[in-house]
């Protein structure tokens, strides 16, 4: 990761389904790739393509609104299931830079934040409002740790300090870990 | 010293740099399991940055997800899975060779599903931190190891530094007490647990399974329970190590020996949760009340007794969408629903005891006409052990297929898949839409329920057959 992110602004796109698992976000048959690029066309493949591999014209994810939105609002417990990092890769490549839900599965959220997909958990009231109003103009603001509505309203969201710092500075966590080399060597020497 | 849980003890033993409000802990990883699907991009990062694998000796590599379950006698035999999957297999071989990692390859007597071979080799041990780019890494928690799934970026972190940046999780105790009725298994315990706490009930938590029912389970059974912790949203599941654990580990190829064994044993014996330790959340399950469980929807929390009725939930759109996908109807019994495919396999239920229990029901019964039954051992060792007992013959004679080890139909990456619209009873762990193939319908169950259903040709309660077997 390198691109620093401070805020994501766009109209929202809503997938109200609860428990959207990573097999929906990208089915296993597309995991044979050895690259991380170009997965957007497989995002939600079984929701967007028919049995013959043709785009389903009236599938919501194939709409203009889905193509232009950078913020995905999803039902509770988004990203459950497999640890495949292909899921955030596919969402980012599809065009989403942020995902909001009332609950986001642990591994998915960790993967998302490491790739610059801003994964945000909001309270259930705010979540309900977002679900009920697709296309709402919204800003996910990391600086203020808040969602900002067009009418000036702000709703704070919690985010891990370190994850936020890394997103905002474009910090690469591997670089951070490599700097701990001495401490790691000391630990190994004491425990072998 | 304050009383600590098993999780907290393992955590404390592996902190390289303590966590602060600003920074997560640097946690040391004792064992890194890797497979072909979630590593190629991580190796690319190492290569791009000129990094080495810090501890090849703590890295255990195999291939399982996209591998064929037909025999591989020469390299060209892998091409049956298609060019992309075969390419991924070749990439894994090349990456392991380049970075000096021993690979349990097709010529190894130990190749198999990564979560089955770790324990078999004795690499999985109490008190260890174990990670893998795979959410079912929770399986290894059965040994009292802190084991959890990570993404590919983190796979790169562990390859390069043998460490991860982690925040401490909350703790949840799931206490299971009482004697299981005949025909009720570890799989039924965990399915019922997920049904009770929900598919997000464990989010942010590490679960410790406790109670006399868990204590009485074999290691194979404890692995089945811990395996599906992620299906309740928990990254890890744990069982306190005890004599059952130590007996399992002793004498395995990578287990300590001699003085090292004695030292390890005394450390392991100090790991169980202190009597006064507090969990953030506690749940209890009455094992005596459990029946064999089957799922009816499109996540593992949509589960009922095999002799129960499909529930009714008026006005719940997600619930009805799931039933539509499954082709099932509220208010009807699930038993008796015609099925097309039975899959016995996966890291949940493809160890020797699982295959034995399925085969026991096939000794005197045949797979019903029109049902395809696939039995896929979890590893080369399981395959060899099962064949030494003649189980392959039992399975084949009953009309089922006996395959080479791998993940196979659990996720359908290698061409073994359930056709669109067909209904499968599977011993695997996920019944998500399309999990076993595009449009495939999945009912999760124990090996007993799966085998009984194969024989009946419909979803079936295994208990009458078991009583008569
Ligand atoms: S058997 Fe299934 S769940 Fe287990 S590691 Fe393989 S694909 Fe994943």
């Amino acid at each position: 990761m390198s691109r620093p992110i401070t805020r994501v602004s766009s109209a929202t796109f809503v997938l109200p389904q609860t428990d959207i698992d990573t097999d929906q976000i990208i089915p296993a048959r597309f995991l044979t790739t050895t690259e991380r690029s170009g997965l957007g066309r497989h995002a939600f493949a079984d929701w967007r393509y028919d049995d013959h591999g043709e785009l389903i014209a009236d599938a919501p994810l194939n709409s203009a609104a889905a193509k232009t939105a950078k913020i995905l609002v999803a039902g509770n417990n988004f990203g459950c299931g497999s640890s495949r990092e292909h899921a955030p890769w596919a969402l980012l490549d599809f065009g989403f830079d942020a995902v909001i839900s009332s609950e986001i599965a642990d591994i998915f959220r960790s993967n998302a934040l490491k790739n610059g997909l801003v994964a945000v958990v909001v309270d259930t009231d705010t979540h309900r409002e977002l679900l009920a109003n697709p296309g709402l103009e919204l800003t996910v603001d990391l600086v203020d740790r808040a969602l900002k509505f067009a009418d000036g309203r702000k709703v704070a969201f919690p985010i891990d300090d370190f994850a936020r710092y890394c997103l905002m500075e474009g910090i690469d966590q591997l670089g951070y870990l490599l700097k701990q080399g001495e401490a790691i060597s000391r630990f190994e020497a004491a425990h072998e | 010293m304050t009383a600590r849980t098993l999780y907290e003890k393992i955590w404390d033993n592996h902190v390289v740099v303590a966590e602060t409000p600003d920074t997560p802990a640097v946690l040391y990883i004792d064992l890194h399991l890797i497979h072909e699907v979630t590593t190629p991009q991580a190796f690319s990062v190492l290569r791009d940055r000129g990094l080495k694998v810090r501890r090849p000796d703590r890295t255990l590599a195999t291939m399982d997800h996209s591998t064929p379950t037909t025999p591989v006698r020469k390299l060209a035999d892998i091409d049956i899975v298609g060019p992309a999957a075969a390419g991924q297999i070749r990439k894994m071989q090349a990456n392991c060779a380049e970075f000096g990692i021993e690979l349990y390859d097709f010529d190894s007597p130990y190749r198999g599903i990564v979560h089955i071979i770790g324990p078999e080799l004795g690499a999985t041990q109490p008190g260890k931190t174990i990670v893998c780019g795979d959410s079912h890494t929770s399986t290894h928690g059965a040994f009292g190891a802190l084991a959890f799934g990570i993404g590919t970026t983190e796979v790169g972190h562990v390859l390069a530094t043998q460490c991860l940046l982690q925040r401490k999780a909350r703790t949840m105790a799931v206490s299971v007490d009482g004697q299981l009725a005949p025909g009720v298994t570890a799989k039924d315990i965990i399915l019922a647990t997920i049904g009770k706490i929900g598919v997000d009930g464990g989010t942010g938590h590490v679960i410790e399974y406790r109670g006399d029912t868990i204590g009485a389970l074999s290691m194979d059974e404890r692995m089945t329970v811990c395996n599906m912790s992620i299906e309740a949203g928990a990254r890890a599941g744990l069982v306190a190590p005890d004599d059952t654990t130590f007996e399992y580990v002793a004498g395995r190829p990578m287990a300590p020996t001699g003085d090292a064994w004695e030292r390890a044993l005394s450390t392991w014996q100090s790991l169980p949760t202190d009597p006064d330790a507090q969990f953030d959340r506690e749940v209890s399950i009455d094992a005596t009340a459990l029946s064999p469980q089957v799922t009816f929807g499109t996540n593992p929390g949509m589960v009922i007794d095999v002799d129960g009725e499909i529930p009714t939930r008026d006005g719940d759109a997600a619930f009805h969408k799931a039933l539509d996908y499954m082709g099932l109807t509220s208010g009807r019994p699930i038993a008796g629903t015609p099925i097309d495919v039975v899959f016995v396999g996966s890291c949940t239920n493809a160890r020797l005891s699982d295959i034995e229990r399925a085969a026991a029901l096939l000794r005197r019964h045949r797979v019903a006409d029109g049902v395809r039954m696939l039995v896929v051992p979890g590893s080369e060792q399981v395959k060899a052990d099962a064949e030494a007992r003649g189980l392959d013959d039992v399975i084949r004679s009953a009309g089922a297929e006996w395959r080479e080890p791998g993940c196979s139909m659990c996720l359908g990456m290698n061409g073994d898949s359930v056709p669109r619209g067909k209904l499968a009873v599977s011993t695997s762990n996920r019944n998500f839409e399309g999990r076993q193939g595009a449009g495939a319908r999945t009912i999760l169950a124990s090996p007993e329920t799966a085998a009984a259903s194969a024989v009946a040709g419909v979803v079936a309660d295994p208990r009458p057959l078991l009583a008569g077997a």
Side-chain angles (χ1 to χ4, degrees), chain B residues 429-452:
Chain B
N429 43 54
R430 287 190 174 137
N431 52 342
F432 298 151
E433 289 184 19
R435 169 73 179 187
Q436 295 195 277
R441 295 163 164 169
T442 301
I443 289 176
L444 301 176
S446 69
E448 284 84 341
T449 304

Side-chain angles (χ1 to χ4, degrees), chain B residues 65 113 115 134 136 346-347 407 410-411 429 435:
Chain B
H65 282 66
I113 302 174
H115 309 309
D134 192 285
H136 293 101
S346 90
C347 55
C407 296
C410 174
L411 89 170
N429 43 54
R435 169 73 179 187

Side-chain angles (χ1 to χ4, degrees), chain B residues 246-280:
Chain B
F246 309 143
E247 265 165 44
Y248 180 100
V249 176
R252 295 194 176 258
M254 295 183 178
T257 51
D259 287 350
W261 171 264
E262 295 304 327
R263 280 198 305 277
L265 197 60
S266 75
T267 311
W268 297 347
Q269 283 162 338
S270 71
L271 289 171
T273 294
D274 297 328
D276 296 334
Q278 297 290 315
F279 291 88
D280 295 309

Side-chain angles (χ1 to χ4, degrees), chain A residues 17 21 34 36 42 97 119 126 145 154 157 179 189 192:
Chain A
Q17 292 86 338
D21 58 77
T34 55
R36 64 173 79 200
H42 304 311
D97 291 329
T126 306
R145 303 165 194 258
K154 286 191 202 175
F157 58 77
K179 289 203 193 105
E192 292 293 323

Side-chain angles (χ1 to χ4, degrees), chain B residues 391-405:
Chain B
L391 303 181
D392 54 330
D393 283 340
V394 173
I395 288 161
R396 280 202 206 90
S397 310
E401 297 169 49
W402 174 245
R403 292 298 193 96
E404 300 294 315

Side-chain angles (χ1 to χ4, degrees), chain A residues 21 23-24 31-33 35 51 76 81-83 85 103 106 111 114 160 162 172 185 187-188 192, chain B residues 22-24 28 41 49 54-55 58 84 88 134 151-154 167 200 204 420 430 432-433 435:
Chain A
D21 58 77
D23 276 86
Q24 306 314 308
L31 305 189
T32 51
T33 179
E35 308 291 328
D51 304 1
N76 188 57
S82 129
S83 64
E85 202 158 315
E103 185 164 43
D106 290 336
N111 287 340
K114 287 185 179 61
D160 179 70
F162 185 74
D172 152 47
S185 296
F187 182 93
E188 284 179 330
E192 292 293 323
Chain B
D22 290 341
T23 52
Y28 196 77
Q41 297 87 350
R49 298 174 66 148
R54 184 180 177 98
R55 295 299 299 263
R58 290 185 177 276
Q88 199 167 55
D134 192 285
T152 296
T153 298
E154 290 180 314
R167 291 278 181 196
D200 57 352
R420 184 176 293 278
R430 287 190 174 137
F432 298 151
E433 289 184 19
R435 169 73 179 187

